[in-house]
Amino acid sequence: YFYEDDTFLIDHVAGFAKEGLERQETVIIVATEQHRGDLKTRLTEDLVGLWAPTQSNYVTLDASSTLGLFMRNGWPDEGLFLKVIGQIIQSAGRGKPVRIYGEMVAVLWAEGNTLAAIHLERLWNKLASQQDFRLLCGYSASAFQGPEMDYAFEDVCSCHSQIKGARTSARV
């Protein structure tokens, strides 16, 4: 999901998470502190009486800290990623369907580590071939401004089954 404004992002992610919670699925949020807080507030407002932010099928992780579990010398270590993220999904899911919203790739992108970000997208796809989960990624559209970013935009889009949000209507 490409977004221009955090409000649109939180609205979209809240809908994704709300649907999962209503279906009794496990929802894992791997995001920045600001986005985790905004999402918690939004979900608390939307699901009054149906959901408590501490319930066991809603798991939040800090995107930067989670990256630190499998990054080695500025590059995602494939074996560590598959092990660490795979275990998080299995442990949190406990046999239930799992949906994940992730910003780790966006964090790498914002740091200027675009090749590692694209590699991480491919690792998510590899993990998806081994485990069953739905993944929603969020990218700030401003990270792809200018013709020099067209190649990167195309690379990121090629790693996803659906593309939504800002910039996509004119490019994809």
Side-chain angles (χ1 to χ4, degrees):
Y1 181 72
F2 292 91
Y3 63 95
E4 291 187 21
D5 180 282
D6 279 4
T7 302
F8 293 110
L9 172 70
I10 297 303
D11 287 347
H12 192 75
V13 176
F16 177 77
K18 180 180 174 183
E19 181 180 336
L21 293 169
E22 288 173 338
R23 292 180 179 194
Q24 303 298 308
E25 297 174 352
T26 297
V27 175
I28 301 172
I29 304 296
V30 187
T32 63
E33 181 179 359
Q34 179 68 48
H35 288 161
R36 289 191 323 271
D38 291 347
L39 188 57
K40 180 180 176 180
T41 300
R42 175 67 190 278
L43 286 172
T44 302
E45 293 168 0
D46 287 356
L47 297 171
V48 172
L50 297 175
W51 177 75
T54 58
Q55 78 180 43
S56 63
N57 64 330
Y58 183 77
V59 177
T60 63
L61 301 167
D62 180 72
S64 294
S65 297
T66 305
L67 274 169
L69 298 174
F70 58 83
M71 293 291 289
R72 295 297 175 258
N73 300 316
W75 192 255
D77 180 284
E78 180 175 338
L80 280 175
F81 173 82
L82 296 173
K83 181 180 178 183
V84 169
I85 302 301
Q87 286 178 345
I88 289 170
I89 293 168
Q90 285 181 332
S91 175
R94 298 178 314 278
K96 293 181 181 182
V98 173
R99 57 178 64 208
I100 305 165
Y101 167 68
E103 292 181 344
M104 292 186 294
V105 172
V107 167
L108 290 173
W109 201 275
E111 292 172 351
N113 199 347
T114 56
L115 292 177
I118 292 168
H119 181 65
L120 182 54
E121 285 286 10
R122 293 184 177 126
L123 291 179
W124 274 111
N125 288 336
K126 184 169 188 171
L127 184 59
S129 73
Q130 299 172 3
Q131 291 186 294
D132 189 28
F133 59 88
R134 287 186 63 190
L135 177 65
L136 174 65
C137 302
Y139 284 96
S140 172
S142 64
F144 296 89
Q145 297 302 315
E148 70 281 359
M149 293 306 290
D150 285 349
Y151 77 92
F153 180 76
E154 296 301 324
D155 279 347
V156 167
C157 289
S158 72
C159 294
H160 294 85
S161 60
Q162 288 184 312
I163 311 297
K164 294 182 180 180
R167 188 177 174 171
T168 59
S169 60
R171 303 308 280 248
V172 178

